[in-house]
Amino acid sequence: MDVNSVVSSVLESKKYRDLSEDLVRNVTVTLSYKYSDKELLDKTKAKLRQIWGAYYSSRPDFKKLFGKFLGKKIELADIVKIHSSTKERALDCEKVLSFVTENTEVSRRVLDIGCGLNPILMMITSLQFDDYICFDIDTSQQHFLNEIFKSEGKTNMKAIVCDALMYDFPRAELAILFKLLPVLNQIDSKKCDEFLNKLEVNYLVVSFPNRSLSGKEKGMRENYKIYVEKVSKCGYALIANREFSNETVYIFKKQNRAM
Ligand SMILES: C[S@@+](CC[C@H](N)C(=O)[O-])C[C@H]1O[C@@H](n2cnc3c(N)ncnc32)[C@H](O)[C@@H]1O
C-alpha cells in the first residue's frame, strides 16, 4: 500500500478514526522511508498504538462519558483515572503543580501540549491561568474537553486538535510537556528537536514517567538525561527538578528572552 492508501485505511478504521489526519500522515510518511509498501499499514498502526492507543486501557466513548458527567454519575476526579498518565499524576497533582508555580512566574497564557486528560486535573486543582490552551491528536478527546470546559464555565480554557510536530504554537509564558518528549521522539527525533526549537515560551515544564507502561524502572532515568540535553541545546537552562511518586519533573527557563 502507498502512503495515501495507508492514511485512508487507518482513518476509516474504527480504532483510529479519531486521530488527527496530519498526525496519521506524518507517521506514515516517516515510516515509509524505512518500510516496504507491504509492511507500511501494520507498522503505522503499531506506531499509533505506541504513541496514543496505549494510554487508554480501554477506549472511552466520550459522548457517553460526557452524558454521565452531566447526569452527575461520574466526577471529574474519576474521569482523570481513565488515562494512564493522569491516573499516575492524580495522587501527587497538587504537589506537582505547586512545584511548577513555585519555580515559574505563571499567570497569563499556558500551553499544555500532548495534554491527554491533564486539563481536567488542572480544573480540579487550585491552579488558575488567564488563558489555557491544550493540544492533542485525539479529536474525540479534545471535543470532550471543550464540552467539559463549556459546561463548567471555563471560558479561559480551550482544546485544539493538532500534531505537535507540524503545528505553529502561539507565544506563551509557559508550555507544559508532561510525558510528551519520549512520545514525539518515537515518531521522529529530528522533528522533535525542531518542535523544541520553534516553541516561543519563557518556561518549559517537562516530565517523564518513573516506570514504563509495563512497570519497568530499569534505565528510565538515565534515558531522560538525553532529553534534558536536547532541551538545553535549544537555549533553555534547567532551573529545578524533582522526583514525585510516579514521574520526574524538570523546569527550564529560556535564556535571554523577554516576553
Ligand atoms: C504519555 S501521554 C501524556 C498525556 C499528558 N501529557 C499527561 O501527562 O497526563 C502522551 C500524549 O501525547 C499525545 N500525542 C502523541 N503524539 C502527539 C503529537 N504528535 N502531537 C500532539 N500530541 C501527541 C497522545 O495522544 C497522548 O495524549
Side-chain angles (χ1 to χ4, degrees), residues 94-108:
E94 286 286 354
K95 284 190 215 153
V96 171
L97 297 177
S98 303
F99 176 62
V100 173
T101 46
E102 278 159 23
N103 287 288
T104 58
E105 300 145 48
V106 183
S107 58
R108 296 199 299 265

Side-chain angles (χ1 to χ4, degrees), residues 51 55 85 89 113-115 164-165 169 175-197 199 204-209 223-234 236 247-248 250-252:
I51 63 161
Y55 300 106
S85 300
R89 185 169 310 112
I113 306 177
C115 61
L165 297 176
F169 290 96
I176 296 172
L177 313 180
F178 280 153
K179 301 184 186 173
L180 181 70
L181 291 182
V183 174
L184 295 186
N185 211 48
Q186 276 163 356
I187 302 174
D188 189 326
S189 83
K190 221 169 122 213
K191 285 191 186 148
C192 177
D193 293 348
E194 286 165 13
F195 156 79
L196 283 169
N197 261 315
L199 277 180
L204 260 188
V205 178
V206 175
S207 82
F208 305 99
N223 195 14
Y224 300 146
K225 286 189 191 141
I226 300 168
Y227 294 103
V228 172
E229 274 170 32
K230 255 184 194 284
V231 178
S232 305
K233 274 191 193 149
C234 297
Y236 294 88
E247 74 186 315
T248 303
Y250 293 81
I251 301 183
F252 296 88

Side-chain angles (χ1 to χ4, degrees), residues 19 23 26 51-53 55-56 83-87 89 112-118 121 135-138 141 162-165 169 176-180 183-184 187 207 247:
L19 281 172
L23 179 274
N26 190 11
I51 63 161
W52 167 76
Y55 300 106
Y56 283 110
H83 193 286
S84 66
S85 300
T86 30
K87 185 179 177 191
R89 185 169 310 112
D112 186 347
I113 306 177
C115 61
L117 295 180
N118 190 58
L121 265 191
F135 305 84
D136 205 295
I137 51 179
D138 187 323
Q141 173 198 284
C162 77
D163 175 356
L165 297 176
F169 290 96
I176 296 172
L177 313 180
F178 280 153
K179 301 184 186 173
L180 181 70
V183 174
L184 295 186
I187 302 174
S207 82
E247 74 186 315

Side-chain angles (χ1 to χ4, degrees), residues 28-35 40:
T28 311
V29 169
T30 307
L31 292 173
S32 70
Y33 296 118
K34 208 168 153 198
Y35 296 105
L40 195 54

